Every structure is written in C-alpha cells, then in structure tokens.
Amino acid sequence: MRSGPGDRPVVLVAEPQALPGMWLEDVLAEAGCAVRGPYGTSAEAARCLDETPPDFAVVSIDLNHGSGFPLACALRRKGIPFALISGNARVPRAFSDVPQFDRLFEAWAMVSTVTAGCAVAGGPRACPMPDRRPAGAPFALDQCPTACRA
C-alpha cells in the first residue's frame, strides 16, 4: 500500500460542493488519512493520479464541468479502489461492484469503506477505449464503464 506523510493512507476526494468536500476532508483526516483535494472536476483530480497515486478515492458522480465517470474509469485502469457518491443519479451497472453512497451518509460508513478499500490491492486494467474513439473525443459514458468492466 502506498502511504502519505506518517504512513497514513492517501485518499483522493473529488467533490464539487465546498461544504461536503470539507466535511469529507475532516472525517477522513480524523480517521488518520492524508487527503488530496477536494477537487471539483475530473480533470483536476486526474492530474494527481500520475504523480503519487492515492490508496483510495471518493468520487462524486456529479462534478463541475461534467461527470465523475471519466475519473472513475481512470482510477479503475490504474487499479486504485474507489467509492462513488451518487445521490439520486443513475450509476451504470459497470460500477455495481463499487461502493456507492447517497448524498446523506454516516461518517463511519465512509471511513469503513475507505479502510477496507485501502487494504485491498488492486491491479491496473487495460482500457479498451482509446482504440474505439477518435483522439480528443469525449468519453462515451454509455460505453466506457462497460468497456472498463471487461
């Protein structure tokens, strides 16, 4: 397991709303995690994946400037476990194996999920999408999650 300062697990938080993002940051820090973020967009969060990858990520599927699914796909390709905050939004079946949270959840539930996820070593998955879409084309969310599940 990769770790942050003081051998703490590093958790990436992608949450566009300020108060929920700060609350998540506080909850995870109090649980002993080093927190990166909160990031408001998939692009901002994805930039840090190439530096030192986090041990776990918490991703809102409704980010600024688009969906959180491109970030979720990038996390899956890199073998980084994550949880989704979905609220009432539809989550593709491709992510049925990922822990999902409504907008209202207990702090202990998230801490338990992060702790369990940090203990599981993931492996990167090959992404079949680069060959299926033209360079620079937007993610096809109806195809990408299913393709990444394979």
Side-chain angles (χ1 to χ4, degrees):
M1 174 168 65
R2 297 169 295 274
S3 58
D7 294 327
R8 299 183 304 161
V10 176
V11 179
L12 178 147
V13 174
E15 168 58 59
Q17 298 179 36
L19 290 178
M22 290 186 300
W23 179 78
L24 268 171
E25 185 177 13
D26 289 346
V27 163
L28 295 170
E30 287 176 18
C33 299
V35 179
R36 277 205 207 135
Y39 298 101
T41 67
S42 281
E44 289 172 339
R47 278 194 281 277
C48 84
L49 296 180
D50 291 330
E51 299 163 8
T52 304
D55 296 300
F56 195 86
V58 178
V59 179
S60 172
I61 63 169
D62 186 24
L63 295 173
N64 294 330
H65 307 292
S67 165
F69 291 122
L71 176 60
C73 288
L75 291 163
R76 181 162 271 170
R77 285 191 305 271
K78 292 183 176 285
I80 299 168
F82 59 95
L84 295 171
I85 300 173
S86 62
N88 294 327
R90 182 185 151 291
V91 176
R93 286 184 309 174
F95 292 114
S96 63
D97 62 324
V98 176
Q100 296 176 26
F101 291 86
D102 198 352
R103 273 281 161 204
L104 299 175
F105 55 86
E106 298 287 336
W108 65 265
M110 181 60 74
V111 170
S112 294
T113 298
V114 169
T115 302
C118 287
V120 176
R125 294 184 180 183
C127 179
M129 289 309 289
D131 297 333
R132 294 186 183 176
R133 60 188 184 98
F139 278 93
L141 296 180
D142 61 337
Q143 297 172 348
C144 186
T146 303
C148 287
R149 178 112 167 116

